[in-house]
């Protein structure tokens, strides 16, 4: 979308209305409501505080900076603040108001983003607190700064959008509205528009009526904090947003709005169309998000009739892929009951359980038996099986390496002067070589893959110590890797040795017709 010129912006700003007093009153009320504090100071064993809500001086039984406490006088829940912990106490919120604006022959709206600051203390002396109480603690100063504007209007059937920000101009010594700049490492000034502000909703229904987005349903959107510009953008891309908000599917609508520029939300509508009437009732009743819809969809596909408690549990627990695996063997009720009995790592019990069952099958256990399928302590038995499986795999790897060595070492081993190429016989040789050469040959499953016949690893020794590691493909035809200390490339001496060895070895294998059996 083409950006406006300096002259176009200056001309348009002449028609932008001021902030109405009702909106300013709304900001002040919200700031005072959202910022309740008990400012306190310790006097020997006593904790004396003043409440920003009722203005009363009260005595607290205990207090901690940034703690939570109810005022003994007005019973309002407030945050406790040590009066001398900071030189100032300033808090901020971002607000949005939508106003109508005329741009040339077209009528549109302007979305204003205003940051409000509430100051309870500003570098003031509080040494005689609570004898003398600062007036700002009970009557704080509230200031405002309008930092971003979005201008939306329809021009001959096309939606026009200007994104503007308020920027200080040193040449004129004043703020000017300019085209919004991209944010990056070297320009990280806060962009108010890039937020979910508190929305002033009192005038939205009336304003939207005379725009192309009059059916967008924004007046039905129940959330207090959201980005109005993102909402309009979402509606333009996905008209079904109106359906979502008007049928009470607020959490699904919120997801569409929160991802206004990444996807349209149409896939959410397609998922809803797959639901049965009973399932749709559940989605509406509990105002489910996309994860909740996904939960109902896969349980519907498996013909699982969910109770209210089961649905809530599945949405909260989240590990659907693991639950699906467990459902191949037992019922949802039994799965939930068993997971809830786990006192250790309950939130990861499903993952541990599936892993435990997989290892049980590897070890030849009959998981159809209830005593094996439902272990009393999943975490404990899981860890035990990890050790047993590792032990069994180690034994298989050792046996595979020994078998390979027995068959091939007489052909592959090679010596020239003080260098020798040797076939490893055990995993210890992989560990020793990897540790000495500082390479991953001992930690990335090379020994296991060699034992399974998927690769070939040999070691070059110099003066009885590991010098280089050599990897070939499983049919001996290609040298894949040749690394020395810390992945050092082969020296001319080593490269010459390996090339001659490889040529001679392939010749031997062909003569003995062994490549076919490799």
């Amino acid at each position: 979308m083409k950006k406006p010129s300096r002259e176009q912006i200056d001309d348009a700003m002449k028609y932008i209305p001021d902030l109405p007093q009702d909106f300013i009153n709304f900001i002040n009320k919200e700031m005072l409501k959202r910022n309740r504090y008990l400012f306190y100071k310790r006097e020997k064993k006593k904790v004396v505080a003043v409440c920003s809500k009722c203005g009363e001086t009260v005595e607290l039984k205990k207090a901690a900076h940034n703690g939570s406490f109810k005022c003994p006088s007005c019973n309002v829940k407030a945050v406790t603040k040590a009066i001398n912990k900071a030189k100032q106490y300033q808090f901020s919120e971002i607000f949005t108001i939508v106003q109508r604006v005329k741009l040339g022959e077209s009528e549109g709206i302007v979305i204003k983003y205003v940051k409000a600051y509430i100051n309870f203390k500003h570098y003031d002396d509080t040494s005689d607190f609570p004898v003398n109480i600062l007036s700002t603690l009970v009557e704080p100063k509230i200031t405002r700064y309008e930092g971003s504007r979005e201008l939306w209007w329809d021009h001959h059937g096309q939606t026009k959008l200007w994104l503007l920000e308020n920027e200080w101009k040193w040449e004129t010594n004043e703020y000017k509205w300019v085209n919004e700049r991209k944010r990056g490492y070297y320009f990280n000034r806060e962009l108010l528009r890039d937020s979910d502000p508190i929305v002033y909703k009192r005038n939205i229904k009336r304003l939207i009526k005379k725009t192309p987005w009059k059916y967008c349903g924004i007046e039905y959107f129940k959330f207090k904090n959201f980005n109005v510009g993102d909402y309009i953008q979402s509606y333009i891309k996905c008209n079904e947003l109106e359906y979502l908000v008007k049928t009470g599917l607020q959490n699904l609508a919120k997801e569409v709005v929160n991802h206004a520029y990444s996807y349209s939300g149409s896939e959410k509508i397609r998922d809803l169309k797959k639901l049965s009437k009973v399932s749709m009732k559940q989605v509406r009743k509990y105002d489910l998000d996309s994860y909740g819809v996904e939960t109902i969809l896969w349980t519907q596909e498996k013909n699982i009739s969910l109770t209210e408690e089961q649905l809530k549990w599945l949405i909260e627990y989240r590990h659907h892929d693991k639950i699906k695996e467990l459902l191949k063997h037992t019922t949802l009720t039994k799965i939930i009951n068993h997971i809830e009995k786990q006192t250790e790592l309950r939130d990861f019990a499903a993952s541990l359980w599936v892993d435990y069952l997989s290892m049980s099958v590897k070890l030849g256990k009959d998981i159809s038996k209830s005593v094996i399928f439902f272990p009393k302590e999943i975490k404990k038995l899981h860890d035990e099986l990890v050790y047993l499986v590792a032990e069994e795999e180690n034994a298989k790897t050792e046996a595979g390496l020994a078998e390979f060595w027995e068959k091939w070492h007489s052909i592959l081993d090679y010596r020239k002067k003080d260098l020798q190429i040797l076939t490893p016989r055990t995993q210890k040789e992989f560990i020793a070589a990897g540790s000495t050469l500082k390479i991953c040959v001992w930690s990335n499953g090379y020994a296991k893959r060699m034992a399974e016949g998927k690769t070939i690893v040999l070691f070059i020794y110099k003066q009885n110590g590991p010098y280089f590691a050599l990897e070939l493909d499983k049919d001996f035809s290609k040298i894949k890797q040749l690394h020395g200390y810390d992945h050092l490339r082969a020296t001319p001496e080593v490269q010459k040795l390996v090339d001659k060895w490889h040529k001679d070895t392939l010749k031997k294998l062909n003569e003995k017709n062994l490549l076919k059996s490799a």
Side-chain angles (χ1 to χ4, degrees):
M1 196 171 286
K2 189 178 178 181
K3 291 183 179 181
S5 65
R6 169 81 269 156
E7 292 74 22
Q8 286 176 310
I9 294 173
D10 288 342
D11 185 56
M13 292 304 101
K14 295 174 187 176
Y15 302 99
I16 303 294
D18 293 332
L19 293 174
Q21 187 59 46
D22 194 48
F23 176 60
I24 294 169
N25 294 340
F26 171 76
I27 288 176
N28 294 344
K29 185 179 177 182
E30 284 292 320
M31 290 300 283
L32 289 169
K33 187 169 72 176
R34 287 168 176 262
N35 293 277
R36 306 292 194 197
Y37 299 100
L38 282 162
F39 296 100
Y40 73 90
K41 189 176 183 181
R42 296 185 187 278
E43 289 189 334
K44 295 180 180 178
K45 292 185 179 180
K46 290 196 301 181
V47 178
V48 182
V50 62
C51 175
S52 68
K53 167 69 169 64
C54 64
E56 292 294 320
T57 302
V58 295
E59 191 174 319
L60 306 179
K61 291 180 181 179
K62 59 180 181 178
H65 188 60
N66 290 330
S68 183
F69 209 85
K70 276 190 177 181
C71 172
S73 176
C74 64
N75 211 35
V76 163
K77 193 174 181 180
V79 176
T80 48
K81 293 280 184 183
I83 194 70
N84 291 325
K85 277 275 185 181
K87 292 181 179 179
Q88 68 167 332
Y89 284 107
Q90 184 186 77
F91 309 96
S92 64
E93 300 278 359
I94 299 174
F95 295 83
T96 282
I97 183 171
V98 181
Q99 292 177 280
R100 186 175 291 122
V101 64
K102 188 161 185 173
L103 299 168
E105 298 177 357
S106 304
E107 277 201 7
I109 59 171
V110 57
I111 305 170
K112 296 182 177 180
Y113 294 83
V114 179
K115 190 165 189 176
Y117 299 88
I118 186 166
N119 289 281
F120 287 95
K121 173 194 171 188
H122 191 72
Y123 293 86
D124 300 297
D125 182 16
T126 54
S127 57
D128 58 351
F129 178 90
V131 177
N132 289 318
I133 297 169
L134 296 172
S135 61
T136 56
L137 296 182
V138 291
E139 293 179 9
K141 184 181 178 183
I142 299 173
T143 55
R144 300 176 307 278
Y145 162 70
E146 187 187 342
S148 291
R149 284 179 178 175
E150 293 180 38
L151 274 68
W152 293 78
W153 75 99
D154 183 78
H155 184 67
H156 302 302
Q158 282 191 329
T159 298
K160 296 284 185 180
L161 170 63
W162 287 0
L163 303 175
L164 308 176
E165 64 175 301
N166 211 359
E167 193 173 82
W168 178 259
K169 293 294 179 182
W170 295 103
E171 314 89 66
T172 57
N173 201 32
E174 62 180 350
Y175 278 98
K176 278 280 188 183
W177 287 100
V178 297
N179 284 306
E180 186 180 286
R181 287 172 63 180
K182 287 184 179 180
R183 263 54 187 171
Y185 185 78
Y186 295 106
F187 187 72
N188 56 7
R189 181 167 165 253
E190 181 183 27
L191 179 63
L192 299 192
R193 193 179 65 81
D194 191 19
S195 64
D196 287 330
I198 301 165
V199 181
Y200 178 79
K201 289 186 174 181
R202 293 173 193 172
N203 64 343
I204 281 187
K205 185 177 180 180
R206 173 173 52 83
L207 288 175
I208 293 294
K209 272 185 180 179
K210 294 188 178 181
T211 71
W213 318 291
K214 57 186 174 183
Y215 299 119
C216 71
I218 194 169
E219 66 272 25
Y220 295 93
F221 199 47
K222 73 174 184 181
F223 298 98
K224 198 167 188 174
N225 289 66
F226 67 95
N227 191 293
V228 176
D230 284 356
Y231 190 99
I232 295 173
Q233 179 70 28
S234 299
Y235 176 71
I236 291 169
K237 291 178 72 176
C238 177
N239 292 152
E240 293 94 341
L241 180 60
E242 176 196 2
Y243 165 77
L244 294 176
V245 292
K246 288 184 178 178
T247 53
L249 301 175
Q250 299 285 340
N251 283 313
L252 277 174
K254 187 179 182 182
E255 286 184 10
V256 175
V257 173
N258 286 348
H259 299 87
Y261 294 88
S262 57
Y263 63 84
S264 68
S266 298
E267 62 269 27
K268 297 184 185 302
I269 305 298
R270 286 196 294 271
D271 284 344
L272 288 175
K273 288 178 180 177
K274 297 175 188 175
L275 295 172
S276 65
K277 287 183 179 180
V278 174
S279 297
M280 193 62 192
K281 280 182 182 178
Q282 285 181 308
V283 172
R284 283 183 175 149
K285 182 179 179 181
Y286 303 113
D287 189 13
L288 299 181
D289 60 9
S290 57
Y291 195 84
V293 173
E294 182 191 316
T295 302
I296 290 196
L297 265 177
W298 70 258
T299 51
Q300 177 182 288
E301 287 168 7
K302 291 182 176 294
N303 295 317
I304 299 171
S305 181
L306 293 175
T307 65
E308 183 178 332
E309 290 74 22
Q310 286 174 335
L311 175 59
K312 287 179 179 177
W313 188 91
L314 281 172
I315 292 170
E316 179 270 327
Y317 196 71
R318 296 260 161 179
H319 299 278
H320 285 180
D321 54 334
K322 304 302 178 185
I323 301 299
K324 289 175 189 175
E325 281 295 315
L326 294 168
L327 280 169
K328 293 175 182 177
H329 308 283
T330 188
T331 64
L332 182 59
T333 302
K334 289 181 179 179
I335 291 168
I336 294 172
N337 290 340
H338 194 61
I339 287 175
E340 288 303 316
K341 288 177 185 176
Q342 303 307 309
T343 54
E344 191 179 3
L345 293 177
R346 174 260 185 195
D347 291 343
F348 300 96
S351 298
L352 293 171
W353 194 357
V354 170
D355 204 20
Y356 155 82
L357 292 173
S358 174
M359 290 187 289
S360 296
V361 171
K362 277 185 183 179
L363 294 170
K365 295 178 180 289
D366 185 2
I367 62 170
S368 65
K369 292 181 179 178
S370 180
V371 69
I372 294 174
F373 189 84
F374 294 100
K376 286 185 179 179
E377 296 177 69
I378 294 174
K379 172 71 170 60
K380 184 181 175 183
L381 279 175
H382 170 273
D383 292 349
E384 286 177 7
L385 290 196
V386 166
Y387 177 78
L388 289 174
V389 168
E391 215 174 37
E392 188 172 277
E393 286 185 353
N394 274 336
K396 284 181 181 177
T397 300
E398 290 292 342
L401 290 174
E403 187 181 337
F404 184 92
W405 182 89
E406 192 68 41
K407 182 177 180 181
W408 298 104
H409 84 278
S410 60
I411 297 169
L412 301 179
D413 290 0
Y414 185 81
R415 180 188 291 271
K416 186 173 183 182
K417 296 181 180 178
D418 60 341
L419 293 175
Q420 54 182 335
I421 299 173
L422 297 178
T423 309
R425 192 173 187 176
T426 66
Q427 291 182 84
K428 284 183 180 179
E429 292 170 67
F430 282 82
I431 295 169
S435 179
T436 302
L437 300 176
K438 305 296 181 192
I439 56 178
C440 58
V441 72
W442 63 279
S443 61
N444 281 8
Y446 284 97
K448 184 182 177 184
R449 281 187 282 135
M450 183 167 167
E452 292 171 348
K454 295 176 181 177
T455 192
I456 299 167
V457 178
L458 306 172
F459 297 116
I460 302 171
Y461 290 84
K462 186 175 185 179
Q463 297 172 351
N464 297 322
Y467 188 40
F468 272 82
L470 166 67
E471 185 187 9
L472 300 95
D473 57 9
K474 63 180 182 179
D475 60 1
F476 300 91
S477 63
K478 183 181 176 184
I479 296 173
K480 294 168 71 176
Q481 296 187 79
L482 179 57
H483 292 303
Y485 182 81
D486 197 17
H487 297 90
L488 179 74
R489 287 188 180 183
T491 63
E493 177 192 28
V494 170
Q495 190 65 56
K496 187 178 178 181
L497 169 80
V498 169
D499 289 343
K500 188 175 187 315
W501 165 85
H502 190 225
K503 186 179 178 181
D504 292 347
T505 302
L506 285 176
K507 189 179 177 181
K508 283 185 200 176
L509 293 169
N510 279 318
E511 285 174 354
K512 295 185 178 182
N513 204 26
L514 289 171
L515 280 177
K516 290 180 181 178
S517 62

